[in-house]
Amino acid sequence: MNRAEKAALQLRAVDVLRMLKETRTYDELAETTELPAGDLNRYVNGHVLPGTERAREVVEDLGREALGQELEARIRVDDEGYVDNSSAVFDQPFLDLVAPVVANGFEFDRPDVVLTAATDGITLAASLASYYGTRCAYAKKRKETAVEEFIEARERLQSGIELTYYLPESAIEEGESVLVVDDLIRSGETQELLLDIVETADADVAGVFALIAAGEDGIERARGRTDAPIGALTTV
C-alpha cells in the first residue's frame, strides 16, 4: 500500500466514524468500536488520523457492519417483494463510504475495469472505480449511435422477453481484470449477461458485488458462472 492509498484508507475510516457518531455519544461510540473515547474525539474532529492498522480495522470490520445496517434502514420492500433502494443509490457520499469497505472487506483483486448495467448500478460502479483508480464501464440495452463495434450479450428470460445488453468493444481489453457490480441482485440474469460480456472480451473476472441481494438465487447463479469472490453488503 503506497502513501496515497494509506491516506485514503485513513480518511475513509474517519468518514465511517463520523457517520456512526451522528447517532451516538463518544462513550457509546467507544463501546461500539472498543477504541478510547478521547482518540475517537480527535479522529472525528479531524485533529489526528487513525493509524493504518486501526483505520483498516474500522473500515473492514466496523465499517462493513455499520454500512450494512445503514443500508438496511434505507431499503423499502413492498408487499410484492419489489425493492426500493433509491435512497442509497442516489446518495453519492454514502456510496463513497461503501467503496473502501467493499475494496478492503471483500476478497476482490484490484480490477482494471468496474462493469455494471445501466442505470441504477452506475453510481455504485463510479464510486468503486474512483476508489480503485480504474475505469468504469456500463452496458446498455441499446447501442450508442456513434459507436461501431460492440460486445453483445443476449438472454431470453423466463417471461419470454429477450434481454440484450451492449458494451462498446473498446471498453474492456483482452486480459483485463473486471469487477462486475450492480445495486441489486435478484435472479442473477443481469449479472450473467455482464459475465457473458467479460467472457466475450477475453477478460478475467475479479469478482461480483451487489449492494443488496434479494434472496440467494442470484448469488448462487453467479457462483455457478465464476470462481471469483461474490458478495453483497446486505440481504433482504
Side-chain angles (χ1 to χ4, degrees):
M1 183 180 292
N2 60 38
R3 183 175 296 180
E5 290 171 334
K6 289 179 181 178
L9 178 63
Q10 290 170 309
L11 291 170
R12 291 307 184 193
V14 171
D15 288 338
V16 170
L17 292 173
R18 285 174 174 166
M19 181 187 72
L20 293 172
K21 178 61 181 67
E22 290 178 0
T23 56
R24 294 169 174 82
T25 66
Y26 280 111
D27 287 339
E28 290 170 339
L29 186 58
E31 184 176 350
T32 300
T33 61
E34 298 183 353
L35 298 176
D39 288 356
L40 292 168
N41 185 301
R42 288 188 286 273
Y43 299 153
V44 169
N45 288 293
H47 299 309
V48 295
L49 292 174
T52 305
E53 287 307 312
R54 180 171 283 186
R56 189 189 307 277
E57 291 173 2
V58 168
V59 170
E60 291 184 3
D61 300 329
L62 181 64
R64 181 170 176 176
E65 180 181 354
L67 287 172
Q69 292 173 350
E70 176 66 18
L71 179 58
E72 289 173 8
R74 293 171 178 237
I75 296 170
R76 299 292 179 267
V77 182
D78 68 15
D79 294 338
E80 297 182 3
Y82 290 102
V83 178
D84 175 12
N85 60 6
S86 55
S87 64
V89 298
F90 293 168
D91 188 342
Q92 200 66 52
F94 172 74
L95 295 177
D96 288 343
L97 283 178
V98 170
V101 170
V102 173
N104 294 284
F106 292 82
E107 298 179 353
F108 302 134
D109 292 333
R110 182 180 181 277
D112 298 303
V113 182
V114 179
L115 174 66
T116 191
T119 57
D120 284 351
I122 293 176
T123 50
L124 172 64
S127 288
L128 283 164
S130 177
Y131 181 81
Y132 282 120
T134 56
R135 303 196 310 280
C136 174
Y138 51 93
K140 294 183 177 182
K141 293 180 181 178
R142 65 176 185 273
K143 295 181 178 180
E144 294 285 355
T145 305
V147 179
E148 295 184 358
E149 301 294 333
F150 289 89
I151 299 172
E152 181 179 319
R154 178 181 290 116
E155 181 176 350
R156 186 171 296 278
L157 309 183
Q158 290 182 349
S159 62
I161 297 173
E162 190 172 79
L163 181 61
T164 306
Y165 276 105
Y166 303 94
L167 183 75
E169 192 176 75
S170 60
I172 301 175
E173 299 292 335
E174 180 180 346
E176 287 190 314
S177 175
V178 181
L179 177 61
V180 173
V181 306
D182 208 351
D183 64 313
L184 178 71
I185 181 169
R186 183 187 298 275
S187 66
E189 291 167 338
T190 299
Q191 287 72 26
E192 189 161 42
L193 286 167
L194 293 174
L195 290 169
D196 285 343
I197 287 174
V198 176
E199 182 178 345
T200 302
D202 289 326
D204 299 320
V205 179
V208 178
F209 175 77
L211 272 180
I212 305 159
E216 295 293 332
D217 290 350
I219 295 289
E220 291 304 317
R221 187 169 183 170
R223 285 178 178 151
R225 285 293 308 270
T226 179
D227 294 328
I230 298 169
L233 192 57
T234 193
T235 301
V236 297

